[in-house]
Amino acid sequence: MPQTIDFVIKGRRVYTPDGFMPLAVGAQDEKIVTITGLENAPRGREEYDAGDNPVLPGIIDPHTHMREPGYTRREDWTNGTRAAAAGGVTCVLEQPNSVPPVNCAENFRLKREIASAKAVVDFGLLGGAGEGTIHQMAEQAAEGAVAFKTYLWSYPDRSDEFDGIHTIDDGVLYQIFEQAADLGLPSCVHAENYRLVRTFSNRMLQEGRRAPIDHQKGRPVVAEVEAAWRAMIIARETGVQLNLLHISSGSAATAVKAWRGMGGQGVTVETCPTYLTLTEERLNEIGPYAKINPPLRSAEEQEILWDRIADGTIDTIGTDHAPHEFEAKEKGWRDIFAAPAGAPGVETSLRVMLTHVNAGRLSLERLVELMSVNVARVYGLYPRKGAIAVGSDADFVVVDLERRERIDPKRLHVKDPRVARIFEGFEAVGAPILTVVRGKPVMRDGEVIGEPGYGGFISRQN
Ligand SMILES: [Zn+2]
């Protein structure tokens, strides 16, 4: 080891799998090369002393929509990953519904090149699988996809964004799972039953109900529960690792618990800070800005979701960071069904979850599991990511558990802050104060200092 190494971070509360410890962690050439007691700390060209503030492995957001290529008026890679850096997120995993959608090697490479030139933090890409693209899954795996995503949905009018990454045909779904299992990659699904949602939504429309709250009524919990069960049953036959994304209801998470209780293996579950924090009431407050899919649920469903956090059923937390244009969202005040679904989240997730830690709803250790360690494990990135260990990437976030901050959209980095209202006014307690990607600070004291293009492409192989 050289006398002076690139970067050293010290703290009295550094995360390890065995608890928080007083440690000094040294990085050289982007990797962690030494972990010592504070008294033996190596010298670094750059040093940071976290004092009593916890040092965590970098947060990995497994669910973002950076909108580029395609809808760069909604978001782009530089903006979106600056938001990530500001939020303590060192790596994002990107969903395939850009324009063109990622559903073949060529489109995969296009997105990888754009993101490589613009990202401030590291990124991985999900491949897309759906109607007509099963034969293109292997080539996406070869390009470095971390997983596949399939919408159990029909998008006849939005082929620019969703072509080849959706299906409502269970036979197609079976073949996607079979192929993903062959390729050794997880298969992720958006689990809502299309025909049930169509029935309930049409009922709303026929009754002339177009208020914000009617969005939730048009997409009942049963649609998510059914789709989760169906996906688990079909997945088991193929041996694939199934990953249920953005599970919104406690009932659907409980289905996973029941399935595991019956011996069902190979299923992991993601939920989002939105579902753990906000209820359907938010639709009455901020209208279309609270329209997300699946929708915000009742307080009762949310309580059950927390039970599934507490008992270990839920594996990961992603944000479903999905900004839209202000004008498109505004249409939802008169007719909620006319507005697109989705809200920004990558910058606020850690603050929201730290607030729950401060409120005693989960431990800081459990937060690290849900937002870093388990994400890396599910997507095959562990221990390069999700660990403070010799040989891992030197990715850290330092958090100040006492910092109080009312979330103000105008201070967020998202493309158009006017659409970032979902957590507007939320009284956050706890905030990231330093974000380090591969030994280099990209955010310090709230200021993003990382350069576009520094973020690198991450796959299971590299
Ligand atoms: Zn999403």
PDB file of all heavy atoms in Angstrom, residues 235-252:
ATOM      1  N   ALA A 235     -43.623 -18.059 -11.888  1.00  0.00           N
ATOM      2  CA  ALA A 235     -42.160 -18.009 -11.733  1.00  0.00           C
ATOM      3  C   ALA A 235     -41.620 -19.314 -11.160  1.00  0.00           C
ATOM      4  O   ALA A 235     -40.573 -19.795 -11.582  1.00  0.00           O
ATOM      5  CB  ALA A 235     -41.769 -16.824 -10.847  1.00  0.00           C
ATOM      6  N   ARG A 236     -42.322 -19.871 -10.192  1.00  0.00           N
ATOM      7  CA  ARG A 236     -41.786 -21.061  -9.530  1.00  0.00           C
ATOM      8  C   ARG A 236     -41.545 -22.194 -10.520  1.00  0.00           C
ATOM      9  O   ARG A 236     -40.575 -22.937 -10.398  1.00  0.00           O
ATOM     10  CB  ARG A 236     -42.716 -21.540  -8.428  1.00  0.00           C
ATOM     11  CG  ARG A 236     -42.142 -22.836  -7.830  1.00  0.00           C
ATOM     12  CD  ARG A 236     -42.445 -22.994  -6.388  1.00  0.00           C
ATOM     13  NE  ARG A 236     -43.628 -23.804  -6.215  1.00  0.00           N
ATOM     14  CZ  ARG A 236     -44.012 -24.260  -5.033  1.00  0.00           C
ATOM     15  NH1 ARG A 236     -43.315 -23.978  -3.954  1.00  0.00           N
ATOM     16  NH2 ARG A 236     -45.093 -24.976  -4.934  1.00  0.00           N
ATOM     17  N   GLU A 237     -42.426 -22.311 -11.500  1.00  0.00           N
ATOM     18  CA  GLU A 237     -42.286 -23.394 -12.479  1.00  0.00           C
ATOM     19  C   GLU A 237     -41.009 -23.265 -13.292  1.00  0.00           C
ATOM     20  O   GLU A 237     -40.529 -24.236 -13.863  1.00  0.00           O
ATOM     21  CB  GLU A 237     -43.494 -23.401 -13.422  1.00  0.00           C
ATOM     22  CG  GLU A 237     -44.786 -23.736 -12.749  1.00  0.00           C
ATOM     23  CD  GLU A 237     -44.756 -25.093 -12.063  1.00  0.00           C
ATOM     24  OE1 GLU A 237     -44.325 -26.077 -12.700  1.00  0.00           O
ATOM     25  OE2 GLU A 237     -45.136 -25.159 -10.873  1.00  0.00           O
ATOM     26  N   THR A 238     -40.483 -22.042 -13.380  1.00  0.00           N
ATOM     27  CA  THR A 238     -39.328 -21.816 -14.246  1.00  0.00           C
ATOM     28  C   THR A 238     -38.021 -21.717 -13.462  1.00  0.00           C
ATOM     29  O   THR A 238     -36.944 -21.731 -14.063  1.00  0.00           O
ATOM     30  CB  THR A 238     -39.481 -20.481 -15.012  1.00  0.00           C
ATOM     31  OG1 THR A 238     -39.429 -19.406 -14.072  1.00  0.00           O
ATOM     32  CG2 THR A 238     -40.788 -20.424 -15.784  1.00  0.00           C
ATOM     33  N   GLY A 239     -38.117 -21.578 -12.142  1.00  0.00           N
ATOM     34  CA  GLY A 239     -36.909 -21.436 -11.340  1.00  0.00           C
ATOM     35  C   GLY A 239     -36.284 -20.056 -11.397  1.00  0.00           C
ATOM     36  O   GLY A 239     -35.182 -19.846 -10.893  1.00  0.00           O
ATOM     37  N   VAL A 240     -36.971 -19.093 -12.004  1.00  0.00           N
ATOM     38  CA  VAL A 240     -36.401 -17.738 -12.112  1.00  0.00           C
ATOM     39  C   VAL A 240     -36.397 -17.047 -10.746  1.00  0.00           C
ATOM     40  O   VAL A 240     -37.188 -17.400  -9.862  1.00  0.00           O
ATOM     41  CB  VAL A 240     -37.210 -16.893 -13.135  1.00  0.00           C
ATOM     42  CG1 VAL A 240     -38.538 -16.436 -12.537  1.00  0.00           C
ATOM     43  CG2 VAL A 240     -36.397 -15.695 -13.614  1.00  0.00           C
ATOM     44  N   GLN A 241     -35.508 -16.096 -10.573  1.00  0.00           N
ATOM     45  CA  GLN A 241     -35.584 -15.209  -9.415  1.00  0.00           C
ATOM     46  C   GLN A 241     -36.544 -14.085  -9.784  1.00  0.00           C
ATOM     47  O   GLN A 241     -36.242 -13.241 -10.637  1.00  0.00           O
ATOM     48  CB  GLN A 241     -34.217 -14.633  -9.070  1.00  0.00           C
ATOM     49  CG  GLN A 241     -34.269 -13.735  -7.827  1.00  0.00           C
ATOM     50  CD  GLN A 241     -33.038 -12.857  -7.656  1.00  0.00           C
ATOM     51  OE1 GLN A 241     -31.945 -13.215  -8.083  1.00  0.00           O
ATOM     52  NE2 GLN A 241     -33.228 -11.702  -7.043  1.00  0.00           N
ATOM     53  N   LEU A 242     -37.708 -14.091  -9.159  1.00  0.00           N
ATOM     54  CA  LEU A 242     -38.735 -13.086  -9.435  1.00  0.00           C
ATOM     55  C   LEU A 242     -38.569 -11.923  -8.465  1.00  0.00           C
ATOM     56  O   LEU A 242     -38.386 -12.131  -7.261  1.00  0.00           O
ATOM     57  CB  LEU A 242     -40.126 -13.701  -9.263  1.00  0.00           C
ATOM     58  CG  LEU A 242     -41.309 -12.730  -9.300  1.00  0.00           C
ATOM     59  CD1 LEU A 242     -41.466 -12.110 -10.689  1.00  0.00           C
ATOM     60  CD2 LEU A 242     -42.595 -13.446  -8.881  1.00  0.00           C
ATOM     61  N   ASN A 243     -38.643 -10.711  -8.988  1.00  0.00           N
ATOM     62  CA  ASN A 243     -38.538  -9.519  -8.144  1.00  0.00           C
ATOM     63  C   ASN A 243     -39.782  -8.674  -8.364  1.00  0.00           C
ATOM     64  O   ASN A 243     -40.007  -8.165  -9.470  1.00  0.00           O
ATOM     65  CB  ASN A 243     -37.262  -8.754  -8.513  1.00  0.00           C
ATOM     66  CG  ASN A 243     -36.925  -7.659  -7.521  1.00  0.00           C
ATOM     67  OD1 ASN A 243     -37.408  -7.664  -6.391  1.00  0.00           O
ATOM     68  ND2 ASN A 243     -36.104  -6.732  -7.949  1.00  0.00           N
ATOM     69  N   LEU A 244     -40.615  -8.569  -7.334  1.00  0.00           N
ATOM     70  CA  LEU A 244     -41.861  -7.792  -7.437  1.00  0.00           C
ATOM     71  C   LEU A 244     -41.546  -6.339  -7.105  1.00  0.00           C
ATOM     72  O   LEU A 244     -41.149  -6.021  -5.982  1.00  0.00           O
ATOM     73  CB  LEU A 244     -42.907  -8.340  -6.467  1.00  0.00           C
ATOM     74  CG  LEU A 244     -43.337  -9.791  -6.701  1.00  0.00           C
ATOM     75  CD1 LEU A 244     -44.192 -10.290  -5.531  1.00  0.00           C
ATOM     76  CD2 LEU A 244     -44.114  -9.923  -8.016  1.00  0.00           C
ATOM     77  N   LEU A 245     -41.727  -5.465  -8.084  1.00  0.00           N
ATOM     78  CA  LEU A 245     -41.333  -4.065  -7.917  1.00  0.00           C
ATOM     79  C   LEU A 245     -42.448  -3.223  -7.300  1.00  0.00           C
ATOM     80  O   LEU A 245     -43.627  -3.529  -7.469  1.00  0.00           O
ATOM     81  CB  LEU A 245     -40.945  -3.457  -9.267  1.00  0.00           C
ATOM     82  CG  LEU A 245     -39.742  -4.096  -9.974  1.00  0.00           C
ATOM     83  CD1 LEU A 245     -39.357  -3.272 -11.193  1.00  0.00           C
ATOM     84  CD2 LEU A 245     -38.566  -4.294  -9.045  1.00  0.00           C
ATOM     85  N   HIS A 246     -42.036  -2.168  -6.656  1.00  0.00           N
ATOM     86  CA  HIS A 246     -42.918  -1.147  -6.060  1.00  0.00           C
ATOM     87  C   HIS A 246     -44.250  -1.697  -5.538  1.00  0.00           C
ATOM     88  O   HIS A 246     -45.319  -1.231  -5.909  1.00  0.00           O
ATOM     89  CB  HIS A 246     -43.152   0.044  -7.003  1.00  0.00           C
ATOM     90  CG  HIS A 246     -43.607  -0.268  -8.386  1.00  0.00           C
ATOM     91  ND1 HIS A 246     -44.606  -1.153  -8.655  1.00  0.00           N
ATOM     92  CD2 HIS A 246     -43.191   0.212  -9.586  1.00  0.00           C
ATOM     93  CE1 HIS A 246     -44.794  -1.195  -9.958  1.00  0.00           C
ATOM     94  NE2 HIS A 246     -43.942  -0.396 -10.551  1.00  0.00           N
ATOM     95  N   ILE A 247     -44.129  -2.683  -4.648  1.00  0.00           N
ATOM     96  CA  ILE A 247     -45.341  -3.241  -4.036  1.00  0.00           C
ATOM     97  C   ILE A 247     -45.920  -2.178  -3.087  1.00  0.00           C
ATOM     98  O   ILE A 247     -45.233  -1.654  -2.208  1.00  0.00           O
ATOM     99  CB  ILE A 247     -45.022  -4.563  -3.306  1.00  0.00           C
ATOM    100  CG1 ILE A 247     -44.762  -5.666  -4.347  1.00  0.00           C
ATOM    101  CG2 ILE A 247     -46.143  -4.941  -2.348  1.00  0.00           C
ATOM    102  CD1 ILE A 247     -45.939  -6.024  -5.256  1.00  0.00           C
ATOM    103  N   SER A 248     -47.188  -1.852  -3.316  1.00  0.00           N
ATOM    104  CA  SER A 248     -47.791  -0.692  -2.655  1.00  0.00           C
ATOM    105  C   SER A 248     -48.680  -1.062  -1.483  1.00  0.00           C
ATOM    106  O   SER A 248     -48.921  -0.228  -0.608  1.00  0.00           O
ATOM    107  CB  SER A 248     -48.629   0.083  -3.684  1.00  0.00           C
ATOM    108  OG  SER A 248     -49.679  -0.746  -4.169  1.00  0.00           O
ATOM    109  N   SER A 249     -49.159  -2.296  -1.476  1.00  0.00           N
ATOM    110  CA  SER A 249     -50.144  -2.675  -0.459  1.00  0.00           C
ATOM    111  C   SER A 249     -49.559  -3.698   0.501  1.00  0.00           C
ATOM    112  O   SER A 249     -48.806  -4.599   0.098  1.00  0.00           O
ATOM    113  CB  SER A 249     -51.391  -3.273  -1.133  1.00  0.00           C
ATOM    114  OG  SER A 249     -51.077  -4.478  -1.807  1.00  0.00           O
ATOM    115  N   GLY A 250     -49.927  -3.562   1.761  1.00  0.00           N
ATOM    116  CA  GLY A 250     -49.552  -4.577   2.730  1.00  0.00           C
ATOM    117  C   GLY A 250     -50.089  -5.938   2.335  1.00  0.00           C
ATOM    118  O   GLY A 250     -49.437  -6.963   2.554  1.00  0.00           O
ATOM    119  N   SER A 251     -51.260  -5.963   1.708  1.00  0.00           N
ATOM    120  CA  SER A 251     -51.859  -7.249   1.319  1.00  0.00           C
ATOM    121  C   SER A 251     -50.991  -7.997   0.314  1.00  0.00           C
ATOM    122  O   SER A 251     -50.839  -9.216   0.405  1.00  0.00           O
ATOM    123  CB  SER A 251     -53.253  -7.023   0.723  1.00  0.00           C
ATOM    124  OG  SER A 251     -54.124  -6.522   1.707  1.00  0.00           O
ATOM    125  N   ALA A 252     -50.409  -7.286  -0.657  1.00  0.00           N
ATOM    126  CA  ALA A 252     -49.559  -7.962  -1.640  1.00  0.00           C
ATOM    127  C   ALA A 252     -48.254  -8.427  -0.989  1.00  0.00           C
ATOM    128  O   ALA A 252     -47.752  -9.513  -1.291  1.00  0.00           O
ATOM    129  CB  ALA A 252     -49.271  -7.038  -2.823  1.00  0.00           C
TER     130      ALA A 252
END
